[in-house]
Every structure is written in structure tokens, then in C-alpha cells.
Amino acid sequence: MAERLREAPPLGPALRRWRLLHRVKQAHAAELFGVTQSTISRWEAGLQAMEPAERAKVEALLAARLNPGADHVLAGLVADSPRPVHLVCDLSHRLLALSARRAADFGCDANALIGQSLWPFITAELAAMEAELPERGWYEGAVVPPIELDTGSNGSNLVPVRPSRCRWTRFILSDGTAARLVETLA
């Protein structure tokens, strides 16, 4: 079955959060990205989409990275988990770490997917919840409650998602970027 591609999530809320966390004014962010301050404002408000080259610059800035120390401990805990879990960049959905049980489900060498976005494999239910995250304040605070939801199948043999209940837990990494732990509960 052909893999289904879904539209990537908006970056505006994450850009705003990054600016606030790093005390960067919209005018300075505009200089960083080669746009006007009003463009930054419209991106953050969701009133204007980013061009592909602009999006790539913003994603590069906001993407979660596992830095030495505590972040690698988190990745190790994920890898050593006996449960089907994985850790992704909360913004780009790039795979950062996964458990052996999750890797066993993949129809390819799971290590080859480290650093790749899992967004193309999202289900309709997961995409719908993803769209609700800004309204739920997911990107606003450093600590947000985990979200549990039911999902259907994505029909993929490469990165299968089967009907199940899952939980998303958001973590702030040492550099201030966010990662998401994805657990299959049942």
C-alpha cells in the first residue's frame, strides 16, 4: 500500500515559544529568517504559511536534538524500555530514539529511520489530535499534561500504526527544544 503523506504541522506556536524562551524579539527573529517583523507575527498567529525555504530554516532552528548528559539518559531509557515506545522531536516528528519492541514492528531497519520524520505515517486520528494541540496549550508551557487517545491503522508496512490507545508526553530537552514520548498503551 502506498504511504500516505499528511501536511506538516504549523510552526508558528513553536517559533513563538522559542522566541519567548530565548528572549528573542520578533524583529530579531525577522532578521534571522530574512523576513519582516509582520511576517513573523503572521506566522505565529497562523495567518500566513511559510514558504518551503523559510520553513526549512525555522525547522532547523527549532528541531529537538539530543545533547550530552540528561538528554542521552532519556534516549537510553527509551531504548531500554520493554514497552513499545519512541521519542520524536515535538516539532518535526523526527525519530530520536525507540525501544527494541517498537523497532520490531517496523518493516525496515529502525536505525535507518533515526533522524527521519515519522509524520508521513500518521493516522487520521493522530493528525486530528495534532491539530488540537495549540488549542490545548501543548506548546505554551514547559509542563503540560500527557494526552491519551485512540488511533486507527495507517496501512503502512514500513512504519505501521495499528488500532490502539496511545499516550503523548512532552519533555523539554536541555537546549529548550521539545521532544515527545509516544507510548502504545493497549
Side-chain angles (χ1 to χ4, degrees), residues 6-65:
R6 300 224 183 252
E7 185 178 318
L11 296 179
L15 178 59
R16 181 176 184 277
R17 188 182 153 282
W18 176 86
R19 275 193 326 92
L20 295 174
L21 181 67
H22 295 280
R23 298 179 183 190
V24 173
K25 295 186 181 240
Q26 283 184 341
H28 181 65
E31 289 176 22
L32 289 173
F33 299 115
V35 297
T36 65
Q37 180 274 326
S38 61
T39 297
I40 298 292
S41 178
R42 288 191 300 269
W43 286 351
E44 290 180 357
L47 300 175
Q48 179 178 333
M50 296 174 190
E51 294 297 324
E54 296 166 340
R55 184 177 179 85
K57 286 181 187 178
V58 174
E59 282 180 344
L61 175 74
L62 301 178
R65 295 162 194 76

Side-chain angles (χ1 to χ4, degrees), residues 138-155:
W138 184 261
Y139 302 105
E140 296 303 319
V143 179
V144 294
I147 294 175
E148 291 188 13
L149 66 148
D150 294 315
T151 186
S153 173
N154 66 356

Side-chain angles (χ1 to χ4, degrees), residues 72-82 85 99:
H72 282 288
V73 170
L74 175 61
L77 289 171
V78 170
D80 293 341
S81 176
V85 300
S99 67

